[in-house]
Amino acid sequence: AGTAKRFSNTVRRNLMYVAVRLTREDVPVGVVRVALPLAEIDAEIALLRAEIIRGTLLGIVVALAVGVLVARRITVPIADMTRVSEALQRGDYEVRVRTPGPAEIGTLGDNLNRLADQLLERMATLSHQQAQTSAIIRSMQEGVLAIDGDRRLIASNASGRQLLGLPDETEHVVLTRESLAATP
């Protein structure tokens, strides 16, 4: 087989020639020669290039679309979790993650929701315990004063306040040695 590109004086065009030897039982019987104008071959190559370019552009568009969808599937749940964590920091313990996400992100969202539930339970328990402690202190006959490290009065009962000469329901008053020494 052989190929050649040359100008044909017969048809007055550039042609590509392909010649193949024909054999029968390893005996040459002839040669088949075909010629095509190079313009037709170039047109076919141009069509093939255009198809490759279209396919490449379509592949890029599909890849971008898939990338955007995957990114949204990850970023939307993360943004929701960020919103919930900021609300928890502000003390809004009722807020929950509502956007499910891929396995790991969904698990993180579930954990954040469980954390919010636990914080809500603990806050309710602390509030209940604080109410109980306050009720116990108020009901005691003996004077009771609770003072923090900065000498602020944080809890007291009527007898304790009367002992110091403080008005009813006084809290967060800073007690100095002088104010304590001035009490009867």
Side-chain angles (χ1 to χ4, degrees), residues 12-170:
R12 301 247 179 251
R13 294 162 112 189
N14 285 322
L15 298 177
M16 175 174 237
Y17 295 92
V18 176
V20 178
R21 183 172 32 167
L22 294 176
T23 60
R24 184 177 289 148
E25 299 176 8
D26 291 335
V27 177
V29 287
V31 174
V32 174
R33 185 179 123 186
V34 179
L36 270 178
L38 281 177
E40 288 181 28
I41 295 171
D42 289 341
E44 287 296 319
I45 289 173
L47 284 175
L48 186 60
R49 278 190 187 125
E51 287 298 316
I52 290 171
I53 289 170
R54 275 193 290 272
T56 301
L57 291 175
L58 179 64
I60 289 171
V61 167
V62 168
L64 285 172
V66 168
V68 166
L69 290 174
V70 168
R72 284 187 56 100
R73 192 159 180 237
I74 292 171
T75 57
V76 168
I78 289 175
D80 193 31
M81 285 183 257
T82 301
R83 176 189 59 79
V84 168
S85 67
E86 289 169 350
L88 289 173
Q89 281 180 325
R90 289 189 308 270
D92 181 2
Y93 301 112
E94 298 293 330
V95 68
R96 296 292 179 272
V97 175
R98 63 180 179 260
T99 308
E104 294 82 9
I105 294 174
T107 300
L108 182 59
D110 291 342
N111 289 343
L112 196 56
N113 285 340
R114 278 194 293 280
L115 176 64
D117 289 339
Q118 289 172 357
L119 283 171
L120 205 56
E121 286 175 26
R122 289 182 182 157
M123 294 298 288
T125 300
L126 283 172
S127 179
H128 180 69
Q129 288 175 344
Q130 185 178 17
Q132 283 180 332
T133 302
S134 182
I136 290 170
I137 290 173
R138 280 194 312 269
S139 67
M140 292 178 67
Q141 294 298 317
E142 295 81 13
V144 177
L145 300 170
I147 301 169
D148 68 8
D150 294 327
R151 294 185 181 174
R152 282 181 296 191
L153 181 64
I154 56 173
S156 62
N157 65 1
S159 299
R161 286 190 304 277
Q162 185 179 10
L163 182 68
L164 292 177
L166 297 173
D168 289 345
E169 301 303 322
T170 302

